[in-house]
Amino acid sequence: MKHTLLTFLLTCLVVVTAAAQSTFSIKGRVLDKLTGETLPGATVQVSGNGVNTGAGTEVNGSYSVPNLKPGTYVVKASFIGYKITEQRVTVGTQNATATFSLAADNATLSEVQVVGSLGLAVERETPVAYSAVNEVKLRETLSNRDLPMILNETPGVYATQGGGGTGDSRITIRGFDQRNVAVMINGVPVNDMENGAVYWSNWDLGDVTKSLQVQRGLSASKISVPSVGGTINVLTRGFDDKKSLLARVEGGSNNYRKYSLMLSSGQLKGDWAFTVYGSRRTSDGWVDHAFDDAWTYFGNISKRVGNHRLSLTGMGSPQKHGQRAFQSLVGYYSEKKAREIGAASVTNGNKGFDYNPYWGPLTRYDRNPVTRQVSNVQASEDLNERSNYYNKPQINLNDFWQVNDRLFVTSVAYASFGNGGGVGGNTTLRQNPATNQTDFQGIYNANRRNYPTVFNTVTRKNDTLFTQERKSNQFLVNSVNSHRWYGFVVGADYNLTDKLTLSAGVDGRSYYGLHYREVRDLLGGDYATVLGNQNIDPTTRLREGDKFSYNYDGKTRWLGGYGQLEYKTPVLSAVVSGTLSRVNYKRIDYFKAKEVTVDGEVYPVPFGKVKTINGRTYTNADAQTSETDWTTYTGYSFKAGANYNLTEHDNVFVNTGYNSKVPFFNLVYTNQGRLYDNVKPEGITSLEMGYGISYPSMKATLNAYYTLWANKTSNSFSAASGEPIYSAVRNVNARHVGVELSVAQEISRRLQLSAAISLGDWRWTGQGLLNQTNEANELVSDRDQPIYLDNIHVGDAAQNQFQLGLRYEPFRGAYFRPSFLLFSKYYADFNPTGILNPETRTDSYRLPTSRNLDLHFGYDFPKVAKDRLRLGMKASVLNALNEFYFTDVSSRSDSNVPDINQQQAFFNRGRTFTLGLSATL
């Protein structure tokens, strides 16, 4: 009986084992064909052979459908906003694999994404080097950083948080700063129209960004944007999002707090849809007194009307934050770090890497001028010398029009209204030598006691006039930089044949900038004196809110067009395109002496002066505000490239192009409003080639580039001499060459590896012209001094980069993502004022290699409440090893000699952490 029972059990075990071995799984991933990124939440359906089952993709885009008998199945992958794709898969004696790359469904694609997608690169088709960051990576690794910081893992990109204030980040691509990197949000250019800068504090887009694509070098953009280093295209959420409600709360180091709420309706009856988002963020800042106080709002509402998809998108982030404006000597942060590079110690140094000299305590009070009795003493406050306040709401009205099977048209009209500026001193405010902080108390005391005096002929002494007002010699001002910006982008694609597409479009913009300084806080005094305004009585006393130092408006009108012809087959893709842009500038100066025009000649008439012309006398009241004529520049570009797919997995590409770049507004006019002499168009020549490998589980790209920038212009600021000096350099050349490699490998469903290497050699060539002005807009050096930069390394960004990262899922729903970064061959920025003799020219200082390790981990709990509610947790530890390294270095001394003791720098943040909890319905 025992043997019979044992035989029966063994037989059952064999049968069960055989049955288990006779079923298999179909596994794979679902990807976005455009970006190559994963699509979590996609649906995979398997039918045939007597079964009809399916599965959803995980956070990394992977899926697995188990318990399938050998046979042939139809596998369909679907995701909202994408075309359904199917494959026939045969299951034999082992598991089968089916990976899908879904193309966007233009009939349901968000108009925001349509406009953006016109400039997005496509894998194995578009002949440019690019990298994409999907929504999952953004959520898991951004933490509480500015959006550009996540791009450091992209080869050729160097991003830092600048002085450390929230939103003060900067980014360079291949050595070109963000003034020369085109940044677009949903296809709309956002670089400042006057200087090309990007102010990341204007948006807090991390939570509403769906995809982020970085194109290096010649981009695939179809509008005439001023791009040299590359293009960053940010795509936000649109109407194709699934119905959901998301609430999130975050906290972390430096009293960081953030609360956010987002609601997406999905597709509603009548083809309506909307997404709304709002957040509140505060922090003390990781830099001392670099506080952060911001709100963010985002909304999108859309409607399908026939063959049109219309939507209205609005976003903004009213904020204020403390800043650390300029770098300090290394010894002020750390004596140890100063010794490491051979620099001398400084008095009252070793204050820590979060040291910020631009704040100080202040106790306000009243003081009887006769008895000197103090009264009305207020509570002590910590006052920031440097801070920023701004609100830049932007509104887009988009339309996507599927005219017919061959023609589709995308268009967007947008408006932006920026209001705000930066806080600073009317001059370099004095510091307390005991603390090396702004001496607000000393300034306040001096202004409070600064009564005028009069010489007493009897006593032969000065008598104090206690009944008179007190003049403030040092005080706080607002440097206002507001604007009104309107624009449109219209583009069309027409399929001439199934292989040939003609694209064309137009881009128009009108920008009105308002620039002035106003008295913010007199710091104990009663008035300030006039500076820079030649149209009022110089004895006028200025109060808080009065304009000061400069006051001018800038007008910019931009009209550009593009044309492109694209040939595409499964093997070969080739493109030829060109752009043409016409830009007009005008400057209206309210502080420059008013002018009268007689017989075509312009004559300035300052306040209190007269001008007699042809027997007629003119005064300032008869004159008109100084206004330049329209200055017109024409820019153009052309580019050509091709991609050839050698095999199903290998491709090569090459592109070349030339860009005649229009100079920015602030490089056309001096601070005094005079048109620079001999302003030449900037010419950028580029050549790039690359090789790619693409498998479902592995991708790699290798590319090399050469860029020559002729007649480059730049400007800088220095306060090293104690007086603010503004420098403008024109007509110098720069050569950038390098190679870039990126690899992504999926070892298993649970483990993915990534690596990137970038090696560059960027140098200045030839010589340029230098002009310098002071705070009163007066030239402080000879006009158009020659400077000699030949063969000096381009500074302010690391030329070599190494990155290694992985994503590991120890169990379902959990992830762990470490990321290691190394930057080397980083040369300090330099002061061109010292390069006046080619015989004494020296290279700038090369900084030590930097290393950083970040750790990210999280867990999505199993769904509850009838599978409707999902709770999630995420955490990040930035700079986990707590190592400090140079991030931004500027030698603002009077010479470019690489003197270690003159190096002034910012350092990275120390170890910080964030923890976030979310609930999704």
Side-chain angles (χ1 to χ4, degrees):
M1 182 67 180
K2 292 171 56 178
H3 292 289
T4 302
L5 180 59
L6 180 60
T7 301
F8 176 75
L9 292 175
L10 289 174
T11 302
C12 290
L13 180 61
V14 170
V15 171
V16 171
T17 302
Q21 291 178 340
S22 64
T23 62
F24 302 92
S25 299
I26 296 179
K27 302 179 179 181
R29 301 175 74 193
V30 180
L31 310 175
D32 183 319
K33 183 177 181 180
L34 200 61
T35 65
E37 296 300 318
T38 59
L39 292 176
T43 299
V44 178
Q45 183 178 4
V46 177
S47 60
N49 207 25
V51 301
N52 189 352
T53 185
T57 56
E58 300 293 334
V59 70
N60 65 345
S62 64
Y63 72 90
S64 177
V65 180
N67 303 322
L68 299 175
K69 297 179 180 180
T72 301
Y73 298 88
V74 175
V75 185
K76 293 183 179 181
S78 62
F79 191 71
I80 296 176
Y82 293 81
K83 295 179 180 179
I84 298 175
T85 304
E86 67 176 47
Q87 297 183 30
R88 298 186 69 85
V89 178
T90 300
V91 176
T93 59
Q94 59 183 0
N95 294 332
T97 300
T99 293
F100 295 86
S101 294
L102 302 188
D105 183 355
N106 285 338
T108 61
L109 185 64
S110 154
E111 82 295 330
V112 168
Q113 288 180 311
V114 169
V115 173
S117 68
L118 290 177
L120 291 182
V122 180
E123 185 181 20
R124 292 171 56 82
E125 290 183 10
T126 311
V128 299
Y130 77 96
S131 300
V133 180
N134 69 352
E135 189 174 5
V136 173
K137 185 175 181 179
L138 280 167
R139 302 293 171 268
E140 293 182 352
T141 65
L142 184 59
S143 185
N144 64 338
R145 298 177 294 176
D146 295 340
L147 196 60
M149 298 303 296
I150 199 174
L151 300 179
N152 266 325
E153 297 183 10
T154 301
V157 172
Y158 181 74
T160 82
Q161 292 192 277
T166 302
D168 290 341
S169 293
R170 66 181 184 90
I171 188 170
T172 66
I173 299 181
R174 293 179 174 175
F176 300 105
D177 65 31
Q178 60 190 23
R179 291 173 299 177
N180 299 293
V181 173
V183 179
M184 293 188 290
I185 299 177
N186 299 327
V188 174
V190 297
N191 296 76
D192 189 284
M193 286 288 291
E194 294 183 336
N195 59 24
V198 179
Y199 305 101
W200 296 99
S201 58
N202 291 337
W203 309 280
D204 182 14
L205 295 176
D207 288 321
V208 295
T209 297
K210 288 202 66 175
S211 179
L212 186 65
Q213 189 179 88
V214 181
Q215 299 173 17
R216 305 184 296 277
L218 292 174
S219 71
S221 172
K222 293 182 180 178
I223 64 175
S224 49
V225 292
S227 169
V228 180
T231 300
I232 299 174
N233 208 326
V234 182
L235 299 183
T236 64
R237 287 177 175 268
F239 57 75
D240 62 332
D241 292 311
K242 295 185 296 183
K243 183 177 182 180
S244 64
L245 175 64
L246 170 66
R248 181 182 293 121
V249 58
E250 301 171 72
S253 303
N254 310 306
N255 203 27
Y256 170 73
R257 299 289 184 271
K258 184 175 181 180
Y259 310 92
S260 55
L261 183 67
M262 179 162 53
L263 171 64
S264 294
S265 70
Q267 202 73 18
L268 299 175
K269 184 178 180 180
D271 285 329
W272 286 92
F274 67 85
T275 298
V276 292
Y277 167 83
S279 73
R280 176 78 171 110
R281 187 188 70 232
T282 59
S283 172
D284 293 338
W286 65 273
V287 168
D288 193 16
H289 281 73
F291 67 91
D292 177 34
D293 186 352
W295 296 83
T296 295
Y297 54 87
F298 172 89
N300 171 276
I301 184 169
S302 66
K303 166 69 173 168
R304 186 200 299 270
V305 181
N307 292 334
H308 293 264
R309 173 68 77 170
L310 302 173
S311 82
L312 182 67
T313 302
M315 58 185 171
S317 186
Q319 59 80 38
K320 54 184 177 180
H321 67 274
Q323 295 182 302
R324 181 169 56 174
F326 304 109
Q327 297 96 327
S328 297
L329 295 174
V330 177
Y332 280 121
Y333 302 108
S334 167
E335 291 183 356
K336 178 181 178 182
K337 187 65 68 172
R339 289 194 299 269
E340 286 179 5
I341 65 171
S345 299
V346 297
T347 303
N348 294 328
N350 205 37
K351 293 180 175 296
F353 293 101
D354 62 348
Y355 167 61
N356 181 9
Y358 298 102
W359 72 274
L362 172 63
T363 299
R364 302 176 191 262
Y365 58 86
D366 292 331
R367 184 172 183 269
N368 188 298
V370 179
T371 65
R372 301 184 181 181
Q373 184 71 32
V374 173
S375 63
N376 194 25
V377 179
Q378 301 180 23
S380 178
E381 60 180 305
D382 288 343
L383 197 59
N384 283 69
E385 177 185 345
R386 295 282 177 170
S387 61
N388 176 271
Y389 62 99
Y390 216 81
N391 182 18
K392 179 185 168 68
Q394 180 164 311
I395 303 172
N396 301 347
L397 178 61
N398 302 75
D399 173 53
F400 169 59
W401 182 20
Q402 185 73 54
V403 183
N404 53 46
D405 292 341
R406 286 193 169 191
L407 175 65
F408 72 89
V409 178
T410 60
S411 58
V412 55
Y414 60 92
S416 173
F417 310 96
N419 294 281
V423 178
N426 66 310
T427 183
T428 303
L429 300 187
R430 76 186 193 190
Q431 286 190 326
N432 185 330
T435 62
N436 293 116
Q437 308 289 149
T438 304
D439 189 11
F440 279 116
Q441 195 63 61
I443 295 171
Y444 187 90
N445 294 343
N447 290 339
R448 207 74 181 145
R449 300 169 183 173
N450 193 29
Y451 291 97
T453 60
V454 62
F455 182 71
N456 188 319
T457 57
V458 177
T459 64
R460 312 299 298 176
K461 295 181 180 179
N462 287 329
D463 290 339
T464 302
L465 304 178
F466 292 113
T467 60
Q468 299 293 318
E469 291 187 317
R470 296 154 294 191
K471 174 186 174 183
S472 289
N473 289 316
Q474 291 196 325
F475 50 92
L476 290 177
V477 300
N478 293 325
S479 297
V480 176
N481 181 26
S482 299
H483 69 255
R484 305 293 180 263
W485 184 353
Y486 307 92
F488 67 89
V489 181
V490 178
D493 289 354
Y494 183 74
N495 297 323
L496 299 171
T497 68
D498 60 345
K499 299 178 181 178
L500 198 61
T501 301
L502 175 66
S503 302
V506 63
D507 163 28
R509 311 174 213 172
S510 175
Y511 183 95
Y512 195 106
L514 298 85
H515 314 278
Y516 57 87
R517 276 183 154 191
E518 64 181 6
V519 180
R520 178 184 178 92
D521 189 335
L522 287 168
L523 297 177
D526 298 306
Y527 72 94
T529 53
V530 171
L531 175 65
N533 191 348
Q534 301 180 54
N535 296 313
I536 64 173
D537 188 336
T539 63
T540 300
R541 297 186 174 187
L542 303 180
R543 314 295 180 178
E544 291 177 359
D546 288 340
K547 292 181 173 62
F548 169 86
S549 183
Y550 60 81
N551 180 16
Y552 71 92
D553 296 343
K555 291 184 177 182
T556 301
R557 295 176 181 172
W558 171 293
L559 184 63
Y562 77 88
Q564 176 175 293
L565 192 62
E566 184 177 17
Y567 175 81
K568 185 186 300 182
T569 70
V571 175
L572 175 66
S573 299
V575 61
V576 177
S577 67
T579 69
L580 182 66
S581 58
R582 187 173 181 84
V583 183
N584 300 297
Y585 295 133
K586 178 187 284 286
R587 194 178 196 272
I588 305 170
D589 198 325
Y590 302 100
F591 276 12
K592 191 176 180 180
K594 289 184 177 181
E595 300 168 341
V596 294
T597 303
V598 179
D599 297 331
E601 294 291 328
V602 178
Y603 302 90
V605 187
F607 179 88
K609 304 291 184 180
V610 297
K611 192 74 174 180
T612 302
I613 308 169
N614 298 334
R616 179 179 174 182
T617 300
Y618 299 88
T619 67
N620 181 264
D622 301 318
Q624 302 296 318
T625 299
S626 176
E627 183 172 334
T628 68
D629 294 329
W630 284 102
T631 302
T632 302
Y633 294 91
T634 300
Y636 62 89
S637 70
F638 63 84
K639 55 189 176 184
N643 177 86
Y644 184 74
N645 296 327
L646 300 169
T647 69
E648 184 181 354
H649 305 290
D650 302 79
N651 70 290
V652 294
F653 74 86
V654 62
N655 65 58
T656 186
Y658 179 81
N659 181 6
S660 179
K661 182 175 176 293
V662 173
F664 291 120
F665 179 95
N666 67 336
L667 299 174
V668 172
Y669 299 103
T670 69
N671 285 349
Q672 298 81 18
R674 180 182 62 83
L675 190 69
Y676 276 121
D677 300 326
N678 195 30
V679 175
K680 299 178 181 179
E682 299 172 304
I684 300 96
T685 303
S686 298
L687 174 65
E688 183 174 14
M689 58 186 64
Y691 170 69
I693 302 174
S694 180
Y695 287 86
S697 62
M698 193 271 284
K699 292 183 180 182
T701 59
L702 173 65
N703 55 279
Y705 64 89
Y706 171 91
T707 303
L708 178 64
W709 189 343
N711 300 323
K712 182 176 182 180
T713 57
S714 62
N715 51 26
S716 60
F717 172 88
S718 172
S721 64
E723 179 185 14
I725 300 296
Y726 299 86
S727 299
V729 176
R730 312 192 324 279
N731 302 347
V732 67
N733 302 336
R735 183 188 66 245
H736 295 234
V737 296
V739 294
E740 299 162 341
L741 171 68
S742 63
V743 179
Q745 174 72 56
E746 183 178 275
I747 306 300
S748 68
R749 188 192 68 82
R750 292 186 173 183
L751 179 62
Q752 298 93 41
L753 299 177
S754 64
I757 300 175
S758 177
L759 304 175
D761 186 59
W762 315 326
R763 297 174 186 262
W764 300 100
T765 62
Q767 68 181 55
L769 300 175
L770 169 70
N771 286 276
Q772 294 181 299
T773 58
N774 60 16
E775 198 75 10
N777 294 330
E778 301 166 338
L779 279 171
V780 296
S781 63
D782 293 337
R783 179 177 296 178
D784 288 343
Q785 291 186 92
I787 55 172
Y788 304 92
L789 307 178
D790 192 51
N791 211 38
I792 290 178
H793 283 91
V794 173
D796 213 25
Q799 303 195 16
N800 292 344
Q801 169 197 16
F802 305 87
Q803 183 269 337
L804 181 64
L806 64 85
R807 186 183 189 279
Y808 176 62
E809 291 188 18
F811 49 89
R812 185 173 295 275
Y815 70 87
F816 174 60
R817 296 187 76 144
S819 177
F820 175 76
L821 275 170
L822 183 148
F823 289 108
S824 66
K825 198 179 179 183
Y826 180 6
Y827 288 87
D829 203 359
F830 55 89
N831 188 345
T833 60
I835 315 178
L836 304 178
N837 185 343
E839 303 300 324
T840 59
R841 180 180 63 248
T842 59
D843 209 345
S844 57
Y845 176 64
R846 179 168 175 169
L847 278 300
T849 297
S850 65
R851 303 171 183 83
N852 184 77
L853 175 66
D854 293 334
L855 303 176
H856 311 279
F857 45 92
Y859 178 61
D860 287 328
F861 296 90
K863 290 184 178 180
V864 295
K866 297 181 180 180
D867 286 339
R868 297 182 60 189
L869 176 64
R870 165 159 285 180
L871 302 177
M873 180 275 294
K874 67 174 184 177
S876 294
V877 181
L878 304 176
N879 188 13
L881 302 180
N882 203 36
E883 293 188 357
F884 292 92
Y885 50 87
F886 295 91
T887 59
D888 304 77
V889 181
S890 175
S891 177
R892 300 199 310 276
S893 64
D894 289 334
S895 171
N896 68 311
V897 176
D899 184 355
I900 298 295
N901 295 312
Q902 295 296 326
Q903 297 304 317
Q904 301 174 59
F906 291 140
F907 287 82
N908 62 304
R909 69 164 75 183
R911 183 190 297 119
T912 57
F913 73 90
T914 58
L915 175 65
L917 301 175
S918 63
T920 306
L921 279 173

